[in-house]
Structures are given as C-alpha cells and as structure tokens.
Amino acid sequence: MTQTSHLWLFFVLVFGIVILPGLDMAFVLASSLVGGRRAGLSAVGGIIAGAACHVLVGATGVAVLLTVMPAAFNALLWVGALYVAWMGLSLVRSPAAFSASSQSGQRSAAATFRQGALTNLLNPKAYVFMLAVFPQFLRPEYGPIWLQALALGAIIALTQAAVYGAVALAADRARGWLESRPSASARVAQTVGGLMMLAAVVTAIEGWRST
C-alpha cells in the first residue's frame, strides 16, 4: 500500500466515526441550538482541541497506560457518560432553552470551547480509537513518527471541522425557526436532551464492552 492510499484509508475510517451520532455531535447540536452559530463553532473548536490532545497521547504512547490500568479507563468512561447525560438532563428539564428569553444565561464562547474540549477528552470512544486504530497507521517506513502523527491529526481535525461545522450551521438555521415557535422549541429541547442522554448510555455500554 502506498502512503497516499494509507492516508485515504485513515480518512475513510475517521469520517465513518465522526459522521456517526455520538457525544461530540450531540454537544455541538445542543450548543448551536441554545447559543447560535458562535456557540456551535466554539464547541467545534473545543472538540478539535480535545482531539489534538488525543493525537498527542496516541503518538507518545501514553494511551498504553489505559490498557494496563482498566480501572482508569472505566473511571474515564463513566465520568464522560455522566457528564453528557447531565447536559442532556438539563435540556430536558429546561424546555425553553432554545427561546429568545434564555439568551441572557448563555455561556461565553470561551466557556463553550472549554466544555467542548472536555466533552471530547471524556469521550471513551476517542480513547478506543487511539488504542485500536491510530497506532496501526504509524509506520516507520513512511518517515518520522511525529510527522506522520501530525498528518493524521490534521486529517482528524479537518474531518471534524467539516462534519461538526455543518451540524453547527444547520442547527443555527433551525434555531431561528424554533425561537418563533415556543411549543416546537420545547419539544426539540426535550428531544435533543433525550438524545444526549441516550448517546451517553450507548457510549458507556460500548466502552464497557470494549474493556
């Protein structure tokens, strides 16, 4: 396999993972619906920053610690799932979250960025990917490992920016429609909150099985 084919295969795997609904996508969706385009794109930026940390961990081999310390992985798993489930529950209990009256309580862009990074860092699926998939694409014959890790990290970042950015922009457009329809806004808030809670449960179960 040539190095170009090698990178294309990695892109296909990353795209398949990113496009599937999960914790990161649910957070971007909720952030955009609540705070608009700026909040949504801040969430995307935070998630990309978190992914960069994952790449650094995977490239340096620190992630191997999670294989020799299952308790650490399980703790990370449940903290991440509970964190996103809590955000989902907050939406379910606050059905007016998408209305204009809720805008005074919005988080700042920096706070949303930090929360997006934390959501990604607490996402056990990312650690499973770094342990099971990422190392397979670091080949000595293709040059310095750090340079390969940089290229793979760029693929991850660009894919996340494209997919999650599209989700953020689409949700921002829907937000304007929801603000003028309080009853629909309440139903969507509850639905999105429920989806975040479901994503947390599914992620926890899948991560637990992988251990």
Side-chain angles (χ1 to χ4, degrees), residues 73-74 77 124-125 128 201-211:
F73 182 88
N74 289 333
L77 173 73
K125 185 168 66 174
V128 173
V201 171
V202 171
T203 300
I205 292 175
E206 289 181 348
W208 176 74
R209 287 178 176 175
S210 69
T211 61

Side-chain angles (χ1 to χ4, degrees), residues 48-73:
I48 292 174
C53 293
H54 284 299
V55 170
L56 179 61
V57 168
T60 57
V62 178
V64 174
L65 289 175
L66 294 178
T67 63
V68 298
M69 297 179 61
F73 182 88

Side-chain angles (χ1 to χ4, degrees), residues 112-137:
T112 302
F113 179 92
R114 291 193 297 269
Q115 196 166 5
L118 183 60
T119 297
N120 185 267
L121 289 172
L122 292 177
N123 190 341
K125 185 168 66 174
Y127 288 93
V128 173
F129 177 81
M130 283 299 166
L131 286 169
V133 179
F134 190 81
Q136 299 180 33
F137 287 86

Side-chain angles (χ1 to χ4, degrees), residues 7 10-11 14 47-56 59 129-130 134 137-138 145-161:
L7 294 176
F10 183 78
F11 164 72
V14 170
I47 287 169
I48 292 174
C53 293
H54 284 299
V55 170
L56 179 61
F129 177 81
M130 283 299 166
F134 190 81
F137 287 86
L138 297 176
I145 296 299
W146 70 268
L147 189 57
Q148 294 183 57
L150 187 62
L152 298 180
I155 291 175
I156 294 173
L158 291 173
T159 304
Q160 289 177 323

